[in-house]
């Protein structure tokens, strides 16, 4: 099985995981980056306040997303890019939670994505003082990127997984997870909860 996956990164407008305001996506096929995409998102109503702390981090302001597609309007585009890939992110729990919560906030269903965390991969692959994305990416040979730009962060994440797979002799994300004693997470299924309600 080849090293195929999609790296993803979100920036949020505030502390709500539903407040996605930017996404970066990087498609990897056979260990090579073959496509990239990134765009601004108008966060869902009720989750669209831009807090100063978040804006200081990523530089995106409310006026920047006025003409951007809403979460509901851009979600099919995001899913089409990712396909059925395993999603990889640095602190994947955060990014997968953004997918779920923003979908819930807009009444949509999030596809059952599997994921692998590049932060966990970096901790098992490199010996670093810090495993923050810039440091882990530097260890993978990817430097000089604009941290907290969603596309740049997704590219950094992709480079970490590609480098880690090479260093660990892994041919795909599943064998990489196995050799590092990690797991590709399966999606949380909420059908039982809905059936009981």
């Amino acid at each position: 099985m080849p090293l195929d996956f999609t790296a993803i990164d979100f920036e949020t407008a505030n502390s709500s995981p539903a407040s996605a305001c930017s996404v970066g996506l990087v498609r990897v096929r056979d260990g090579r980056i073959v496509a990239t995409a990134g765009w601004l998102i108008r966060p869902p109503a009720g989750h669209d306040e831009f807090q100063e702390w978040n804006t200081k981090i990523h530089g995106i302001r409310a006026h920047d997303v006025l003409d951007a597609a809403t979460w509901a309007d851009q979600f099919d585009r995001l899913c089409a890019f990712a396909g059925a890939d395993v999603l990889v992110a640095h602190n994947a729990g955060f990014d997968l939670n953004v997918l779920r919560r923003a979908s819930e906030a807009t009444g949509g269903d999030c596809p059952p994505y599997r994921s692998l965390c590049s932060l966990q991969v970096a901790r098992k692959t490199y010996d670093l003082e810090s495993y923050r994305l810039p440091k882990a990416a530097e260890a993978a040979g990817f430097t000089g990127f604009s941290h907290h730009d969603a596309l740049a962060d997704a590219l950094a994440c992709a480079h970490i997984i590609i480098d880690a797979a090479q260093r660990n002799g892994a041919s795909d994300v599943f064998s990489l997870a196995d050799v590092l004693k990690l797991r590709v997470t399966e999606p949380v299924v909420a059908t039982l909860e809905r059936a009981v309600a």
Side-chain angles (χ1 to χ4, degrees):
M1 186 180 288
L3 185 64
D4 293 353
F5 62 90
T6 292
I8 188 167
D9 183 79
F10 285 107
E11 300 299 328
T12 55
N14 55 61
S15 59
S16 166
S19 69
C21 63
S22 177
V23 65
L25 298 157
V26 175
R27 184 181 299 130
V28 173
R29 291 292 178 266
D30 200 20
R32 294 173 190 248
I33 293 168
V34 297
T36 63
W39 56 83
L40 294 173
I41 302 165
R42 191 158 20 110
H47 303 273
D48 51 356
E49 178 189 347
F50 278 75
Q51 292 178 343
E52 185 179 349
W53 172 254
N54 295 65
T55 296
K56 277 184 180 176
I57 290 171
H58 52 56
I60 303 168
R61 301 181 181 282
H63 65 81
D64 295 323
V65 300
L66 285 176
D67 296 325
T70 65
W71 178 265
D73 289 340
Q74 63 81 50
F75 193 60
D76 286 346
R77 180 180 173 198
L78 186 159
C79 293
F81 189 100
D85 280 0
V86 171
L87 297 183
V88 172
H90 210 67
N91 190 7
F94 170 83
D95 295 281
L96 273 289
N97 196 34
V98 171
L99 273 171
R100 285 191 298 271
R101 298 300 182 205
S103 296
E104 288 171 8
T106 55
D109 289 324
C110 184
Y113 286 114
R114 299 162 297 168
S115 65
L116 180 64
C117 181
S118 63
L119 174 59
Q120 293 176 357
V121 168
R123 285 179 173 151
K124 298 269 190 165
T125 302
Y126 309 120
D127 183 14
L128 305 172
E129 288 184 14
S130 167
Y131 292 91
R132 291 182 67 246
L133 186 58
K135 294 294 184 186
E138 184 178 356
F142 185 70
T143 60
F145 68 100
S146 180
H147 188 29
H148 295 300
D149 171 273
L151 180 53
D153 285 359
L155 280 163
C157 179
H159 280 277
I160 291 166
I161 297 299
I162 292 166
D163 182 65
Q166 290 171 347
R167 288 177 186 238
N168 289 287
S171 60
D172 58 57
V173 291
F174 299 98
S175 59
L176 177 60
D178 285 345
V179 76
L180 296 178
K181 295 183 172 40
L182 298 171
R183 64 186 178 92
V184 173
T185 61
E186 294 297 324
V188 176
V189 180
T191 52
L192 178 62
E193 188 178 300
R194 287 186 185 149
V196 173

